[in-house]
Amino acid sequence: MSWLGGLSSGLGQSLGQVGGSLSSFTGQISNFTKDILLEGTEEVGDAATELQVSNSKLAELEGSFATQKSEYERLRRINAELEEKLEAAEIQVKQQSLEYRTLLQQKEVEISHLKARQNTLQDEVQKLRSSSQDITSSTSGPAVLPVTTGATTTSSSSYLSRASSSHHGFHGDEVDLSDVLWSQQEINRLSSEVHRLEADVAHWRRVAQASKVPGAENGDQGEILKLQRTIKELREALGREVDEHQHELAALQDAHRQKLSDITKRHREELAEYEERIEELEEQIQSGGAATVTAPSSPQDSSRLEELQATIHSLLEEAGLHKAKHDELMASLEESEHLRAALQREKEEAKAENAELLQNYSRLQSSVSELQTRVQEQEGKAMFKAQQDNEIQALRKALAAAEKEISRLKSSDAEPKADVEHADILELNTIIGTLRQEKEDIEKEKLALVEKVKLAEEREHLIQTEDLQQEVSDLKTQVDQREQSLKQAHLDMDTLTAELEELDRQNQEATQHLITLKDQLAAQKSQAEAEVTRLKSELSDSHNQKEALHQELEAQKQKLSQSAFTLNDLHMGKQQLESTVKELRDKLSKSQELGKEARLEASDLKKLLQEKEAHLSAVHEELSHAGEQGTEVESQRKHLAEKDKEIQDLRKEVAELKVSCEKRSSEDFDLKIENRKLKEESVQALEKVENLDRQLRDSQTSLNRVLLEKDTRIEALKLEKSQLEGELNQLEKRLSEQAKQYQGTIEDLTRARSMDASALQMEHERAVKLNQEKDLMIAELKREIEQMASDHKDTSEMLDITVAGQKQLTELLQEKDTFAASLKAQAADAQRELEASISQAKQEGDALRKSVEDKDKQLGAMKEENSHLKEEIDRLRDQQSRPQLMSEPKTLDIITELETEVAQLKAARDQLQEEAGALRKASEEQRESLLQCQHSLQMQQSELEQARSRHEQSTLNYERLISAKDEEISRLESEVESFSMQRQSQLQTVDILQEDKTRSLSGENGNEKHDLSKVEIERLVKGIKEKETEIIQLNEKNLSLTQQLDQLVVSRDELGKLSQMVLQKDLEIQALHARVSGGHGQEVLLLQQQIQAYAVEREQVLAVLNEKTRENSQLRSEYHRIMDIVAAKEAALLKLQQENQRLSTMSDPSGSQEMFRETIQNLSRIIREKDIEIDALTQKCQTLVTVLQSSSGDSGNGGQGGVSSNQFEELLQERDTLKQQVKKMDEWKQQVITTVKNMQHESAQLQEELLKLQGQVSADSDCSSKLSVDYTRLIQSYEQKERRLGSLSQELAHVQQTISQLSSTKDVLLGKLDSFTQAPEVSTPSIQVAEHFQVSVASPSLRGAAPPIQGESLRQELEALQRALAEKESMIRTLQEINHRLSNSASLSESEQRGHAEELRQARERIDTLQRSLREKDLLIKTKGDQLSQVSENLRNRENDNEVLKQAVTNLKERALILELDVKKLKEENEAVAVKSREKETEFRALQETNMQVSLLLREREFEWKAVSEKAAAMEKLLKDREQGKSGELNQLLNEVRSMQEKAIAFQQERDQVMMALKQKQMETSALQSELQHTKDKEQRQKLELERLRNHLLEIEDSYTREALAAEDRESELRRRVAMLEEKLASSCSAVESASQQASLQVESLQEQLNGVVRQRDEALLQLHAAQEQTNQYAVSLANLQMVLEQFQQGKSPHLPTLSLYEKAMYSEWRRKAEALEDRASALQLNLDEANTALESASRLTDQLDLKEEQIEDLKKQVEVRQEMLDDTQQKLTNLLNSTEGKVDKILMKNLFLGYFHTPLNKRSEVLRLMGSVLGLEQDEVEKILDDEGKKGVTGWVSGWLGGSRAVQSVPNTPQRPTHTQNLNGSFSEMFVRFLEVESSPAAPAPKLPVYDIKPLSAPPSGRSTAATNAAGTAGPSKRSGESNPFLAPRSAAIPLLTPGAPGGGGPASGHLLMKPISDALPSFTPMPVSAEASAGAVLKDLLKQ
């Protein structure tokens, strides 16, 4: 607006100057004509010369007249065009004036609105202050004075005075556009004041709401009335202000109209003057022409015409110049209008984008607040889930321990019986129940604690509400600060996102820390248990291990020397790390808030550790309770109790280790005390000393691990520090401001709680000092730990000397004890002080948190109230502006919004500039830190290389040791195998001897052997279980070692692994020595060999796993390095973006002011030089004029003399030189223009390239940010999956253990069942087989003599038949041999079977025992194989993961390289482009400035040239006139020339001013465009950031929801598994109970099936024998036939064909018989298959029978429950019957009486029968009544009514309305049933119960439904059978009748709805129990009563 106003004012001034110059020009022309007219005529004497002169002049005049006419017409046209343009300009001026008027009106309306709002808000503020003062004085006693009242009143008063003074300036007549600008400024000021007052009002309103006491509700109504009054007053004030501003508007409009009218009048007057002068000139020309025609005019006319021509030429030239100027001005106006339109569009777009940005910002703020609440909720949930997980793990451990106890007790019992197992299971159930009760109690306590916390929070809230009244005065001062904080919301948004990321990272770190703590605790527990078992085994094997230890001492010395070297290296590394720690400590002092959070985490960890210790103690108590039940382990329990105490001490020490490093020394002290005790207890102290030395080493290694963990944390902190430094620099500013705010609030709170601020400061300083002292103490303790490490080295050397003597060792131990005691005391003191400081820090943090939350809540409330107030005020303003104002309020709102948005944008620009400066500082600091980090990295790399060389040496030594140990192991294994071979041979001999003995001994000896074998098997099982426990412990140790190895550095990781392998090999050598030397059973040795093989395989797998974990850690380190590289690249990209922004700011005109200054100085210098030249030329002209005047004076006086020809020639030469200079200047100008155009083209191209490069850079930065986000997501998902995998593997291990235990118990139970079922049923082969097989085949006797051969043809056939018979005979012989063998074997087996029955029984028993042991061993082998497969699968998964990670790392490396190359290229291109753009810009600006100067100089030169040419022409004319003797005209011409020169100079100055103004405007527009572009770029960046933040928030929410869902799924899975385990336990108990019952049934069924199979087999054998007899017979007949054939061949050759036919027929018969036999054999095979299938189905039937028996038992229980319920109901029924017999209800009788008369005549008999049954009359009497009624009618029913009971009872119908006539034909019972159906039908079906809650009601027996009828008597007539009785429907299954077994057939009435069982959809009445003796009357009575 101000720009437009300036432009319009500049145009007005330029137009006024043009008008003034035109008026002065016309005045000079008129003076010139007057002088010409007043001049006298001079006559010439000679007539001839006069005629010649006149003729020539006439001819000249005619030619000039013609030219002047044409020029006149042209000038007229130009004038007409100029008039049209003037009219158009006037129209434009009018439009602009109208627009300005509307704008003025709008601004005045806005001023009136804002003033009214200000007055109303001031009144509201004053009223609210008074009300708040009244309230505070009434509620809080002593009134607190507001702090800001003075300031606000002064400001308001000053504002009012200013406003009142501003009113006086409106009514002046000479109001200009400056007034409009002033009014705009006033509007802006008023709007800012109104915003301030609105904020003040919102603050006071909030104060008033906050200060209200809950009881003081009447004050609200009073305040509402006051507010209504103030609203009315404000409306009246608004009306007044509107009227005043309307008056002011009218005055301004009048002034503007007057100005416009004055300007138009002036313009019209000037136009009229021009027209008059033109007409005068035309008249003069016409008169001159007429004079020339009539008479020869004087020579003055010619001179006048020439003068006129010269003036016309000059006028034409001036007109052309003016036209060009006008065109230029019009073009510039159009350009400015276009620019204005474009700017308005851009402004609107910026406004829309601003609105979108504000909306996005508000959404972001809400989402951030929601995220914060969600994060807090998730943290609470995570804590709660962690507690639940701990509880679940504790329960699992308890379950596993209980199951182990069960298996141990089962194995320990010699002959486990079913009742003992049942007792164990019951005990287990009780233990589980107690555990559940404890869990429920814990949950109740937790709920109670939560309620207490809520109550405490409510109390604190009440206290805070009371304190808020005192905080009101302080909050007033903080309102302004809050407004500033609202302005800094953009900054806060970025910091909030960073804080969110920090919170996510800290949450992940906390979860990882918790997981590692859990794993470490589990590993320590397993280590403690392993130590207990190891101590037991060592106490037993201590004598045997002495010799081995003496041999191994030398190897230990070598190891110790090597470990000393490694310890020295570690100490060197420690010292270096401590130096780095000291450097980091100074930096860590800045991050004290992180320390507070760490303290809070430490306190949480303490709580978690205490809970875990409580769980462990509970588990130990349960174990001790379970251990008391065993009988064999009583002697060991005392020792276990002592060891448990020691284990508890060890656990406490482990917990202290986690809290701080100081307690490691106390552990050493406790371990040494235990050393001394163990030495005093036994002589074998050396072994225990070595064990304790190992423990000391473990503790030292754990200390080293803790130090390494700290080092890794310090490195992680270093990495985070580089990221956090930038954020810390930003946070420090905010913290300094917030600290100022919070100090005030803290002081108020401390005053409210009667605490002195000085005391608090002292406490705070003391806490800081304590923290510093603690840090010093920690440093001292670290030094002491180093001293301890050196002492430990000394102890290791002393241990070498212990072989020679023990005295030095004891002295050292005593010294160390005293030293450790002092250390322990110091550590305890330090811990107390630490806890005190932590508690203080907690309190301070809680107080600060509460205050921050309160302030945030207050801020939110203030914002809401502010928005409500704004809405109300807008509504009021709309209501007031509608009736009174005719102008549109929307435009006003738009303008105000635009102005506020422009102000906000400017403030945002300033803030962004400040942010850019801060970022530059941060980048410089980061560069310095990067240099330091690179230096430290180089140092660490050199250290790492040294460590690697040492590590390689140590690995070589360890490999040598391992190879030696492996050789020893192989030697010992060969010895063990030889022992096992000897043992097997001994066993075989023993078996042979046992078999010989069993043949001779009786069954008693067999029983004794059975018992002995049982004892051996139990001993074997014990050994196996011990080995299993050892294997489990080794697995747990390996898991803990793998976790620790993951955390260590790669080199130390391998060292620790090799040392552990050496220790394991030593342990294996010791165990093998002990087993070789010990006298254990050789069977145990075999099992141990298997276990060792598994252990070797497991060690190999673990070694591979360790290698994989090492590779994983290497990949992680590479990943961290790549992440650092990516972060560096991102920092470099950010720097590039900042440089690009700086370049863009450099390209702005604001940065090029120095260049402008230089160019302006150059221009001013050039202009001075040109001015000097112009002055010289003017002086020359003046000298020439003076010479001419002097010469003219001389000529006038004496008529002689003249201008010298030399001077004239000099003038002409000067003119020529000037023309040449002008031509050169033109050429130079054209060159400059071409160069400028080229430069413009190049600059445009360069700008396009710059924009492209900036777009590429932004795209690359976006891609890199997306890649980094994706990479972080991938890493997070990978870490989460790893965690989930770990947890799943742990859960799988637990589940597999439970499943293996359950399967082992199941197999044991099934083995017992098999031992029961496998009775001595081996069916002896039947005697019939032998009888059949002993049949001898008699050789056939030869019958008769063979007849002689009669033909050769017959011989050939006979030979073929003989061959076939020979084959058959060979087959028969083989069959006979087989039969003989079978018969012999059968006879032998029969004879042996009878003798060896007892031996078989004994052998079966042995086989059973061996089978059990084999099954157990198979189970062991299966479990180990499963574990191996799982480990191999884990290995494969790890390998796959490693490959994926490697691929990802390689891809990322490639991406990083590509990005580096791109970034380098972009940097180089950017630098080159920036350098080029700077050079081009400087050149371009210099060229622009020189171009402007040259153009100005050219115009000046042109103007001077024209002036000089005019002067020369005038001089020529003057010389000609001088020759003719005309001197007076020369003076006039010279005067005119001077005036024209002055006018030309004035025009030139005006033109230069206009050009400079236009150029300024162009520069301003370009600056605005660049600013707009800058803001657009910023908005695009902010949009990108918003999208990224939104995506990040969505991803965080998704990840949180996924984690929550996964956790819930895990919980449900675990619960389901627990339920499944419980169900399995219950089912196994029921199976054990029912197994004994099912076994007998199964045995019987199997015996029957076996008998059937044996019968079938005997039948098949009989058939076989029959077939064999037939074959024998066939063979005899064949032999006979052969004899007959021979006879026939000898004697009867003609009978051969008949014989051959006969033989063929016989052959076909035999074939048929053979086929029939084959068919029978196949049929027998089918029968056998059917028998097998029957056996399978029998086994299936047994399984189904088991299930059915379980169901039967459940049903029996239900039957018992229902029987009890039946007894109760029977008692109640008998009571009811006794109470209700002989009673009839009046209401019933009344209803029956009325129902009788309301029923139709044909249905009254039913009513009578019902009445008789109710009254208990007999059937005969009822029949008699019915007969009487049929005879007599209605009158005789009373005399003899009522009698006979019936089976089918009816109920009286309700009295019917007269409308129901259609139902009269139905029976009474049907109507009653319908009534019940209508009354009982529900509107909507009742909700169904879940399926598992509904037990299907079995249909009642047939007697139930009709029990009452059968008991009462016979049924009625057949027509009544179809009718239903609603009271005899079957009851629910829970309440059966008295006589359930009574027979009775359900009639067709059972199909009715009421006779069906009650479904869940229909509503049911309360069950009506009816006995068989009860009548239906009692039932009806009860129903009616209900």
Short mmCIF file of all heavy atoms in Angstrom, two decimals, residues 22-36 274 277-278 280-281 284 308 311-312 314-315 318 1536 1539-1540 1543:
data_model
loop_
_atom_site.label_atom_id
_atom_site.label_comp_id
_atom_site.label_asym_id
_atom_site.label_seq_id
_atom_site.Cartn_x
_atom_site.Cartn_y
_atom_site.Cartn_z
N LEU A 22 4.58 23.63 -19.14
CA LEU A 22 3.79 23.96 -20.33
C LEU A 22 3.24 25.38 -20.22
O LEU A 22 3.24 26.16 -21.20
CB LEU A 22 2.67 22.96 -20.51
CG LEU A 22 3.06 21.60 -21.09
CD1 LEU A 22 1.93 20.61 -20.92
CD2 LEU A 22 3.42 21.71 -22.56
N SER A 23 2.75 25.73 -19.02
CA SER A 23 2.19 27.08 -18.85
C SER A 23 3.28 28.14 -19.06
O SER A 23 3.05 29.17 -19.73
CB SER A 23 1.57 27.21 -17.47
OG SER A 23 2.56 27.05 -16.48
N SER A 24 4.48 27.90 -18.48
CA SER A 24 5.57 28.88 -18.66
C SER A 24 5.97 28.98 -20.14
O SER A 24 6.25 30.06 -20.66
CB SER A 24 6.77 28.46 -17.81
OG SER A 24 7.26 27.22 -18.24
N PHE A 25 5.95 27.83 -20.83
CA PHE A 25 6.30 27.81 -22.26
C PHE A 25 5.32 28.63 -23.09
O PHE A 25 5.68 29.45 -23.94
CB PHE A 25 6.36 26.36 -22.73
CG PHE A 25 6.73 26.20 -24.17
CD1 PHE A 25 8.00 26.49 -24.63
CD2 PHE A 25 5.79 25.74 -25.08
CE1 PHE A 25 8.34 26.35 -25.93
CE2 PHE A 25 6.13 25.59 -26.41
CZ PHE A 25 7.41 25.89 -26.85
N THR A 26 4.02 28.45 -22.83
CA THR A 26 2.99 29.21 -23.57
C THR A 26 3.09 30.69 -23.26
O THR A 26 2.88 31.55 -24.14
CB THR A 26 1.61 28.66 -23.22
OG1 THR A 26 1.49 28.62 -21.80
CG2 THR A 26 1.40 27.26 -23.76
N GLY A 27 3.40 31.00 -21.98
CA GLY A 27 3.56 32.44 -21.65
C GLY A 27 4.69 33.08 -22.44
O GLY A 27 4.56 34.22 -22.94
N GLN A 28 5.77 32.38 -22.61
CA GLN A 28 6.91 32.92 -23.38
C GLN A 28 6.53 33.11 -24.85
O GLN A 28 6.90 34.11 -25.50
CB GLN A 28 8.10 31.98 -23.26
CG GLN A 28 8.78 32.08 -21.90
CD GLN A 28 9.86 31.02 -21.72
OE1 GLN A 28 10.08 30.23 -22.61
NE2 GLN A 28 10.51 31.04 -20.57
N ILE A 29 5.76 32.14 -25.41
CA ILE A 29 5.34 32.26 -26.82
C ILE A 29 4.48 33.52 -27.00
O ILE A 29 4.61 34.28 -27.99
CB ILE A 29 4.61 31.01 -27.28
CG1 ILE A 29 5.63 29.86 -27.41
CG2 ILE A 29 3.90 31.20 -28.62
CD1 ILE A 29 5.00 28.51 -27.52
N SER A 30 3.54 33.75 -26.06
CA SER A 30 2.66 34.94 -26.18
C SER A 30 3.49 36.24 -26.11
O SER A 30 3.23 37.20 -26.84
CB SER A 30 1.61 34.89 -25.09
OG SER A 30 2.25 34.95 -23.83
N ASN A 31 4.46 36.26 -25.21
CA ASN A 31 5.33 37.44 -25.13
C ASN A 31 6.08 37.68 -26.46
O ASN A 31 6.23 38.82 -26.91
CB ASN A 31 6.35 37.27 -23.99
CG ASN A 31 5.66 37.31 -22.64
OD1 ASN A 31 4.69 38.05 -22.47
ND2 ASN A 31 6.17 36.53 -21.68
N PHE A 32 6.53 36.58 -27.04
CA PHE A 32 7.25 36.67 -28.30
C PHE A 32 6.37 37.28 -29.40
O PHE A 32 6.78 38.18 -30.16
CB PHE A 32 7.75 35.27 -28.68
CG PHE A 32 8.49 35.24 -29.98
CD1 PHE A 32 9.73 35.89 -30.10
CD2 PHE A 32 7.98 34.58 -31.08
CE1 PHE A 32 10.41 35.85 -31.30
CE2 PHE A 32 8.67 34.56 -32.27
CZ PHE A 32 9.90 35.19 -32.39
N THR A 33 5.10 36.80 -29.51
CA THR A 33 4.18 37.35 -30.53
C THR A 33 3.87 38.81 -30.27
O THR A 33 3.78 39.63 -31.23
CB THR A 33 2.90 36.55 -30.55
OG1 THR A 33 2.39 36.47 -29.21
CG2 THR A 33 3.13 35.13 -31.06
N LYS A 34 3.69 39.16 -28.98
CA LYS A 34 3.43 40.58 -28.66
C LYS A 34 4.59 41.47 -29.11
O LYS A 34 4.40 42.56 -29.70
CB LYS A 34 3.21 40.74 -27.16
CG LYS A 34 1.82 40.32 -26.71
CD LYS A 34 1.72 40.41 -25.18
CE LYS A 34 0.42 39.78 -24.70
NZ LYS A 34 0.37 39.72 -23.24
N ASP A 35 5.79 41.00 -28.82
CA ASP A 35 6.96 41.80 -29.25
C ASP A 35 7.00 41.96 -30.76
O ASP A 35 7.33 43.06 -31.28
CB ASP A 35 8.25 41.11 -28.77
CG ASP A 35 8.37 41.18 -27.25
OD1 ASP A 35 7.82 42.14 -26.67
OD2 ASP A 35 9.02 40.27 -26.64
N ILE A 36 6.68 40.89 -31.46
CA ILE A 36 6.70 40.96 -32.94
C ILE A 36 5.65 41.95 -33.43
O ILE A 36 5.87 42.75 -34.36
CB ILE A 36 6.49 39.56 -33.53
CG1 ILE A 36 7.75 38.73 -33.30
CG2 ILE A 36 6.17 39.62 -35.03
CD1 ILE A 36 7.55 37.27 -33.54
N TYR A 274 -3.92 26.59 -24.30
CA TYR A 274 -3.22 26.06 -25.48
C TYR A 274 -4.07 26.23 -26.74
O TYR A 274 -3.58 26.62 -27.80
CB TYR A 274 -2.89 24.57 -25.28
CG TYR A 274 -1.69 24.31 -24.42
CD1 TYR A 274 -1.73 23.41 -23.36
CD2 TYR A 274 -0.50 24.97 -24.68
CE1 TYR A 274 -0.63 23.19 -22.56
CE2 TYR A 274 0.61 24.75 -23.89
CZ TYR A 274 0.56 23.86 -22.83
OH TYR A 274 1.64 23.64 -22.06
N ARG A 277 -4.17 29.88 -27.89
CA ARG A 277 -2.92 30.30 -28.50
C ARG A 277 -2.76 29.69 -29.88
O ARG A 277 -2.27 30.36 -30.82
CB ARG A 277 -1.74 29.87 -27.61
CG ARG A 277 -1.60 30.82 -26.43
CD ARG A 277 -0.63 30.31 -25.42
NE ARG A 277 -0.71 31.10 -24.18
CZ ARG A 277 -0.17 30.76 -23.02
NH1 ARG A 277 0.48 29.63 -22.93
NH2 ARG A 277 -0.28 31.56 -21.97
N ILE A 278 -3.16 28.43 -30.02
CA ILE A 278 -3.08 27.80 -31.35
C ILE A 278 -3.98 28.54 -32.34
O ILE A 278 -3.61 28.77 -33.50
CB ILE A 278 -3.42 26.30 -31.23
CG1 ILE A 278 -2.28 25.56 -30.53
CG2 ILE A 278 -3.66 25.68 -32.60
CD1 ILE A 278 -2.70 24.24 -29.94
N GLU A 280 -4.94 31.70 -32.15
CA GLU A 280 -4.30 32.99 -32.45
C GLU A 280 -3.21 32.82 -33.50
O GLU A 280 -3.11 33.62 -34.44
CB GLU A 280 -3.70 33.57 -31.17
CG GLU A 280 -4.75 34.16 -30.24
CD GLU A 280 -4.13 34.61 -28.90
OE1 GLU A 280 -2.90 34.48 -28.75
OE2 GLU A 280 -4.89 35.04 -28.03
N LEU A 281 -2.40 31.77 -33.33
CA LEU A 281 -1.33 31.51 -34.29
C LEU A 281 -1.90 31.28 -35.68
O LEU A 281 -1.36 31.76 -36.70
CB LEU A 281 -0.47 30.33 -33.84
CG LEU A 281 0.50 30.60 -32.69
CD1 LEU A 281 1.03 29.29 -32.15
CD2 LEU A 281 1.67 31.46 -33.16
N GLN A 284 -3.03 34.52 -37.08
CA GLN A 284 -1.87 35.30 -37.50
C GLN A 284 -1.32 34.79 -38.83
O GLN A 284 -0.97 35.58 -39.73
CB GLN A 284 -0.77 35.24 -36.45
CG GLN A 284 -1.08 36.06 -35.21
CD GLN A 284 -0.05 35.84 -34.09
OE1 GLN A 284 0.95 35.15 -34.33
NE2 GLN A 284 -0.31 36.43 -32.93
N LEU A 308 8.97 31.80 -36.47
CA LEU A 308 7.86 30.88 -36.18
C LEU A 308 8.23 29.43 -36.53
O LEU A 308 7.91 28.49 -35.80
CB LEU A 308 6.62 31.30 -36.94
CG LEU A 308 5.80 32.45 -36.33
CD1 LEU A 308 4.75 32.91 -37.33
CD2 LEU A 308 5.13 31.96 -35.05
N THR A 311 10.49 28.12 -33.90
CA THR A 311 9.73 27.78 -32.67
C THR A 311 8.89 26.54 -32.87
O THR A 311 8.76 25.70 -31.96
CB THR A 311 8.84 28.98 -32.28
OG1 THR A 311 8.05 29.35 -33.43
CG2 THR A 311 9.67 30.15 -31.81
N ILE A 312 8.27 26.46 -34.11
CA ILE A 312 7.45 25.27 -34.37
C ILE A 312 8.31 24.02 -34.35
O ILE A 312 7.93 22.96 -33.81
CB ILE A 312 6.69 25.43 -35.70
CG1 ILE A 312 5.54 26.43 -35.51
CG2 ILE A 312 6.14 24.09 -36.19
CD1 ILE A 312 5.03 27.05 -36.79
N SER A 314 11.09 23.63 -32.74
CA SER A 314 11.44 23.34 -31.33
C SER A 314 10.25 22.73 -30.58
O SER A 314 10.38 21.79 -29.79
CB SER A 314 11.93 24.61 -30.63
OG SER A 314 10.88 25.57 -30.62
N LEU A 315 9.04 23.33 -30.90
CA LEU A 315 7.83 22.78 -30.25
C LEU A 315 7.60 21.34 -30.67
O LEU A 315 7.21 20.48 -29.84
CB LEU A 315 6.61 23.62 -30.61
CG LEU A 315 6.44 24.94 -29.82
CD1 LEU A 315 5.38 25.80 -30.49
CD2 LEU A 315 6.05 24.63 -28.40
N GLU A 318 10.02 19.17 -28.91
CA GLU A 318 9.59 19.02 -27.50
C GLU A 318 8.38 18.09 -27.38
O GLU A 318 8.29 17.28 -26.45
CB GLU A 318 9.27 20.38 -26.91
CG GLU A 318 10.51 21.19 -26.56
CD GLU A 318 10.18 22.58 -26.10
OE1 GLU A 318 8.99 22.92 -26.05
OE2 GLU A 318 11.12 23.31 -25.78
N GLU A 1536 14.88 34.02 -25.51
CA GLU A 1536 14.08 32.82 -25.69
C GLU A 1536 14.94 31.56 -25.58
O GLU A 1536 14.53 30.55 -24.99
CB GLU A 1536 13.38 32.85 -27.04
CG GLU A 1536 12.19 33.78 -27.06
CD GLU A 1536 11.55 33.84 -28.43
OE1 GLU A 1536 11.99 33.09 -29.33
OE2 GLU A 1536 10.60 34.62 -28.58
N SER A 1539 15.62 30.91 -22.01
CA SER A 1539 14.42 30.33 -21.32
C SER A 1539 14.22 28.86 -21.74
O SER A 1539 13.90 28.00 -20.92
CB SER A 1539 13.19 31.16 -21.65
OG SER A 1539 12.92 31.08 -23.04
N MET A 1540 14.41 28.62 -23.04
CA MET A 1540 14.25 27.23 -23.50
C MET A 1540 15.30 26.31 -22.88
O MET A 1540 15.02 25.15 -22.52
CB MET A 1540 14.38 27.18 -25.04
CG MET A 1540 13.22 27.81 -25.78
SD MET A 1540 11.65 27.05 -25.44
CE MET A 1540 11.82 25.58 -26.41
N LYS A 1543 14.16 25.61 -19.43
CA LYS A 1543 13.06 24.62 -19.47
C LYS A 1543 13.61 23.21 -19.76
O LYS A 1543 13.19 22.22 -19.15
CB LYS A 1543 12.06 25.00 -20.57
CG LYS A 1543 11.15 26.13 -20.19
CD LYS A 1543 10.24 26.44 -21.36
CE LYS A 1543 9.45 27.71 -21.10
NZ LYS A 1543 8.63 28.10 -22.27
#
